[in-house]
Amino acid sequence: MKTFIDGLYNILWGPWMIYGILIVGLIFTILTKGVQVRFLKDMFGQIFHGKKSEAGVSSFQAMTMALSGRIGTGNIAGTATAIAFGGPGAVFWMWVTAFIGAATAYVESTLAQIYKEKKNGEYRGGPAYYIHHFTGKKWLGMIFAIAALIAMSILQPTVQANAIADAMNTAFHIPHWVSGLVVCLILGTIVVGGVKRIANAASVIVPFMAISYILVAAIIIIMNIDQVPAVFGLIFRSAFGAEKIFSGILGAAIAWGVKRGIYANEAGQGTGPHSAAAAEVSHPVKQGLVQAASVYLDTFLVCTATAFMILFTGMYNVQLDNGTGKFIVENIPGIDAGTAYTQAAVDAAFPIGGFGAAFVAIALFFFAFTTTMAYYYIAETNVAFLFDGKKQKLAIRAVQVLIILATYFGAVRTSESAWTLGDIGLGIMVWVNIISLIFLVKPTLIALKDYEQQKKAGKEPEFDPVKLGIKNATFWEERIK
């Protein structure tokens, strides 16, 4: 079984995936004429504009729901892992992935808004919906929906739960099974409340923990302010193989930076569009821009905060990714790659009776927990695509049980197993979504041009798909009528 799992992982995360997703993001950057740069003001300005309604959530709530999915183990454990196997240069490639990925996030989230539906009094949308509406073939959308159900309700929750359990065990010596049980109880309480309860929880937890986490990182940087030029120099030199000690792992720096960058910011995965579709806006581009902003917030703030804490304190090892177990740098012998690097970094800066381990464990608990909430919402949205009526209600209950069981399973399994299964689930979704986006990009370009023209004319952008020649945008057609 292990041979099969490893083989599937290597297929899904081979060079075609790693470099292909960068190429697709670069193509979208060119086609949109650098939407992530030209509309930077609007990206952040629109965050607080959209208001919630009975059917939808506000732009801010939709963004925090997306951020709850983006900000998780990828930001803490994933960033540390990228440094462990790719060296400091991997951080630069995470930044590149985020910059290019913002264009991909714009495309997929705008598509989700264009082709969203109103089902049972709530907005629903995502890759399954836009594939179906654009092609007119529901079975094509079902491919993504089934992949997302498997990934979001079974495979991905194992990663988040495992990270929580590991961190709690390191910081407070809490047994893995206890952490798993507590997370499952809280998760069950929230998911039964549906999208509104998830949105409300995310809009409170995510900003609070992100600000607290970045504040600690800022204090560490200030404490080591004299090292700023050296750390930035190390990152940039290592990213291009100019740092002698890391010159032999340039390929690993790129590969791990991109891989963990994709995992952290989720651009192209097809996860962000689900929450984007739930927003109440007057024009799809508005939420597409907000979701692009969430990629920047995720990587340039939270991931960078983790990287700086680790690099400024020197609490990291760099291991050759060739199975030999040899180290290029071994600053903290005996410490496994992942969350423990970040905990060691905060402990080094604040040597106050295990403060670092405790702080990172609590931060990771909230980040990973809200990510699991986002996974459930994505799974529920794809259930709504596949089923109607009583079948939908039964399927939603089944998904609730599955995600709780998967969460507990992940908490008591080894880190290696959890990450491999999680990466397989993620890889399936990325492949299906990215291939689809290549063929579906045109409506987002038309919508962007329309948005820009209305803004230049001094109007508040309103979306009319019929006028723009965009077919099968049934929600917006009905709204206009």
Side-chain angles (χ1 to χ4, degrees):
M1 178 59 75
K2 187 178 186 301
T3 303
F4 171 77
I5 290 173
D6 289 344
L8 184 57
Y9 171 87
N10 290 331
I11 291 170
L12 291 171
W13 285 98
W16 282 104
M17 160 71 86
I18 295 169
Y19 299 111
I21 202 165
L22 279 180
I23 292 169
V24 169
L26 191 57
I27 290 170
F28 290 159
T29 299
I30 294 168
L31 290 175
T32 59
K33 299 176 183 177
V35 64
Q36 68 269 56
V37 177
R38 292 195 299 127
F39 292 92
L40 193 62
K41 182 180 177 181
D42 283 32
M43 282 165 58
F44 291 95
Q46 290 292 344
I47 290 174
F48 300 101
H49 279 197
K51 304 297 181 184
K52 65 181 179 180
S53 65
E54 288 187 12
V57 299
S58 69
S59 289
F60 176 72
Q61 286 180 316
M63 186 196 72
T64 56
M65 284 170 67
L67 278 173
S68 70
R70 299 188 199 282
I71 300 176
T73 58
N75 299 79
I76 299 177
T79 302
T81 305
I83 294 171
F85 294 109
V91 177
F92 172 82
W93 294 107
M94 289 184 76
W95 293 338
V96 171
T97 303
F99 175 74
I100 295 173
T104 306
Y106 161 77
V107 170
E108 61 182 359
S109 297
T110 302
L111 277 172
Q113 269 288 332
I114 291 173
Y115 295 113
K116 70 182 180 182
E117 298 178 10
K118 189 176 182 180
K119 301 191 75 171
N120 300 322
E122 293 180 338
Y123 294 149
R124 298 286 191 182
Y129 293 81
Y130 55 65
I131 292 169
H132 170 215
H133 283 283
F134 185 88
T135 64
K137 295 178 173 61
K138 187 167 184 176
W139 68 268
L140 285 174
M142 288 173 68
I143 295 173
F144 181 90
I146 293 169
L149 269 178
I150 295 170
M152 296 292 102
S153 60
I154 300 173
L155 300 178
Q156 284 285 3
T158 62
V159 175
Q160 308 301 327
N162 186 262
I164 290 173
D166 277 352
M168 288 297 174
N169 183 259
T170 301
F172 308 112
H173 308 293
I174 297 172
H176 283 62
W177 71 268
V178 174
S179 295
L181 191 61
V182 171
V183 171
C184 288
L185 288 172
I186 301 172
L187 180 65
T189 303
I190 293 176
V191 299
V192 295
V195 61
K196 293 297 177 69
R197 189 177 294 179
I198 292 170
N200 288 334
S203 65
V204 174
I205 296 171
V206 172
F208 172 75
M209 276 316 304
I211 291 170
S212 301
Y213 190 73
I214 292 164
L215 183 61
V216 169
I219 293 171
I220 292 175
I221 293 169
I222 292 169
M223 290 168 65
N224 299 275
I225 196 72
D226 59 313
Q227 295 183 41
V228 170
V231 169
F232 272 99
L234 179 64
I235 291 172
F236 285 106
R237 289 194 307 274
S238 302
F240 297 97
E243 182 71 20
K244 188 176 180 180
I245 193 171
F246 300 119
S247 60
I249 59 167
L250 175 58
I254 298 171
W256 279 96
V258 173
K259 186 159 58 174
R260 287 293 164 238
I262 294 167
Y263 193 91
N265 68 53
E266 297 195 356
Q269 289 182 27
T271 50
H274 295 86
S275 54
E280 182 70 74
V281 290
S282 63
H283 198 290
V285 168
K286 289 183 176 182
Q287 198 60 31
L289 294 174
V290 170
Q291 299 305 93
S294 74
V295 172
Y296 281 175
L297 292 172
D298 169 88
T299 303
F300 290 111
L301 287 182
V302 185
C303 284
T304 300
T306 299
F308 281 178
M309 283 193 281
I310 292 170
L311 295 176
F312 272 89
T313 58
M315 294 292 107
Y316 65 95
N317 303 321
V318 179
Q319 186 175 345
L320 286 171
D321 188 23
N322 57 9
T324 62
K326 292 183 178 179
F327 289 89
I328 300 171
V329 172
E330 195 173 10
N331 293 336
I332 42 176
I335 302 294
D336 292 332
T339 307
Y341 283 17
T342 315
Q343 291 175 316
V346 181
D347 268 335
F350 304 97
I352 315 168
F355 171 77
F359 173 77
V360 175
I362 293 168
L364 188 60
F365 173 84
F366 284 109
F367 287 161
F369 179 77
T370 53
T371 297
T372 307
M373 285 194 323
Y375 290 163
Y376 168 74
Y377 173 67
I378 293 166
E380 183 183 289
T381 299
N382 284 284
V383 165
F385 176 82
L386 292 167
F387 303 103
D388 290 306
K390 290 184 178 179
K391 288 183 178 179
Q392 181 179 318
K393 290 180 180 179
L394 288 172
I396 285 175
R397 290 297 177 210
V399 166
Q400 289 172 347
V401 172
L402 274 175
I403 199 166
I404 289 170
L405 289 175
T407 298
Y408 185 79
F409 173 81
V412 298
R413 292 293 290 175
T414 63
S415 296
E416 184 181 355
S417 299
W419 275 97
T420 303
L421 288 171
D423 279 346
I424 287 172
L426 175 62
I428 293 168
M429 291 178 62
V430 175
W431 272 103
V432 175
N433 188 54
I434 285 293
I435 291 171
S436 301
L437 292 178
I438 294 170
F439 296 98
L440 274 60
V441 66
K442 188 176 179 181
T444 70
L445 303 178
I446 295 171
L448 183 62
K449 185 177 180 181
D450 175 61
Y451 174 85
E452 192 171 11
Q453 288 175 342
Q454 290 192 55
K455 288 282 287 186
K456 285 182 177 178
K459 300 177 182 178
E460 182 63 32
E462 297 280 345
F463 186 61
D464 184 347
V466 177
K467 178 183 174 184
L468 299 174
I470 297 175
K471 298 179 180 179
N472 299 324
T474 52
F475 166 80
W476 294 96
E477 290 170 6
E478 290 296 321
R479 177 170 172 157
I480 292 167
K481 289 179 183 178

